[in-house]
Amino acid sequence: MKFPVKATLVPVSLALAAAPPLALAQDQGGEEGAGAGQGPGVTVVQLPQAEPTVETQVVVPGYPQPGFDPNAHLPSSSRGTTDTSRASDGFDLGRRSEGPASVRGGANGSYVVEGQFVPESHSVRRGDTLWDISGRYYTNPYAWPQVWALNPQLQNPHWIYPGDRIRLRDPNEGPTRGNIGASGARRGGRVAPKTIFLRDLGWVDDVKKDTWGELVASPEDQMLLSEGDDVYLRLADDHDVAIGQELTIFREIKKVKSGDARGELVTVRGTARVDRYNPKTHMVRARLIESLDVVERGDRVGSVVRRFDVVPPASADQDLEARIIAAIYPYQLFGQHQVVFIDKGEKDGVKPGQRFFAVRRGDRWVQQLGGAGKLATLRPKVQDERPAQVDTPKFGVDEELLPDETYAELRVVHVRERTAAALVTQSMHEVERDAVLVSRKGF
């Protein structure tokens, strides 16, 4: 049984088949040296030109139309191409989380993370929602009301259609701002230029002094709390707060002790704004205005310093030697623009802007041979005809005869009683956790 298919004949182009004259060479026994195709021994037959033809294409409903691009819905980096010279391709997978990091203040006072890009607008595709768009560009789907506020043309936030243009930021803002609803840490003006901001890790020098209280309850019927939820805080008797004051919610990661210096590396869970306060019971009703991670009952509350001004260099008043006791990055090696904490503070004469220099003595290659294995010190004898002959080169010298080499510089940005936060401003190679840091008088 045959089913009729309705098809439409669509004229595509009207082309004239301009066939060139065809010369049929036939030997008639002419003279040698006669011109090819022109001599008396050649007969030229001129064929008539072909009639004009009309090319047609069959368009069947339900099938891809001419010019259809099946990859149009894909990001540019996911589309197949054979054009190796095309420069319009880009990497479209956005960063979902920055992780433990310290970030810098931008020229317009915004929160800047390297590699983060927030375009001015987004073209809605099939299946998109404001929830998904907010999570994709700002890693916070709960910010969809703020995205809706930027788009007054949307009468209903639940009804957006493919092809709609959703504004993601103010056109006057830079493409790396991304401060709309990502978290309280990205609010405009939170981080001024020439500052360092600790995102979700911090340092507590005095545990008792920096811990003001505890998150004890919440009116929300849920275990895990986040931005927008209300919480109840219980403060210690020796701490008072004011309405509108912001407190940091944090949790202990690791206790650190080095000589007289001690403290805790903590993870910042969020920020709470005081809405009500009872000075008699020291109970606080607050709202979470920032959540970098889930907040739970039992988290500690206090004032963790997260913003450090990058101050100009200041000369040291005395010679000091320090060690790195903790760092924002959970690594053994540190580099430029990373924040570390050293075991010298205000009582040791350290002041903001003071510079510490990482110094090292000895042959770096020789010092690292211990972890490279025995074969790292053997050299084959290429001129020896006997098989598998090796030679042990002679190296090594008394390191006391070698001078100290400076390979990194750190600048103190915040000073506590026994510790200080320092920024690695320059480094020729990695700075190890047990590096020797010296501050020279007059430098």
Side-chain angles (χ1 to χ4, degrees), residues 278-313:
N278 189 333
K280 294 182 179 180
T281 60
H282 292 277
M283 292 297 298
V284 175
R285 190 181 193 277
R287 169 159 294 190
L288 296 178
I289 61 174
E290 176 189 27
S291 57
L292 302 175
D293 206 335
V294 293
V295 178
E296 298 186 65
R297 296 160 180 83
D299 288 342
R300 290 191 285 176
V301 180
S303 180
V304 178
V305 179
R306 300 168 63 191
R307 176 186 173 188
F308 306 106
D309 294 328
V310 182
V311 294

Side-chain angles (χ1 to χ4, degrees), residues 253-286:
I253 295 181
K254 180 182 178 182
K255 292 184 178 180
V256 181
K257 181 179 179 181
S258 176
D260 295 334
R262 63 184 61 192
E264 286 185 358
L265 191 64
V266 299
T267 172
V268 177
R269 317 301 285 190
T271 303
R273 184 190 62 223
V274 177
D275 292 340
R276 300 177 187 175
Y277 174 56
N278 189 333
K280 294 182 179 180
T281 60
H282 292 277
M283 292 297 298
V284 175
R285 190 181 193 277

Side-chain angles (χ1 to χ4, degrees), residues 18-39:
L22 178 61
L24 299 180
Q26 185 176 3
D27 189 3
Q28 300 292 341
E31 298 178 1
E32 294 184 2
Q38 300 294 334

Side-chain angles (χ1 to χ4, degrees), residues 196 198 203 205 305 307-309 311 326 328 338-345 350-354 356 410-416 418-424:
I196 295 298
L198 305 186
W203 173 256
D205 191 2
V305 179
R307 176 186 173 188
F308 306 106
D309 294 328
V311 294
I328 292 301
Q338 294 185 357
V339 178
V340 298
F341 302 96
I342 63 177
D343 60 353
K344 292 293 185 291
V350 178
K351 57 185 178 180
Q354 186 169 338
F356 281 82
L410 295 83
R411 188 181 306 176
V412 176
V413 294
H414 184 73
V415 178
R416 302 293 296 267
R418 288 292 185 182
T419 61
L423 175 69
V424 181

Side-chain angles (χ1 to χ4, degrees), residues 81 147 176 209 232 378:
T81 180
V147 178
T176 57
K209 182 179 179 181
Y232 298 116
L378 300 180

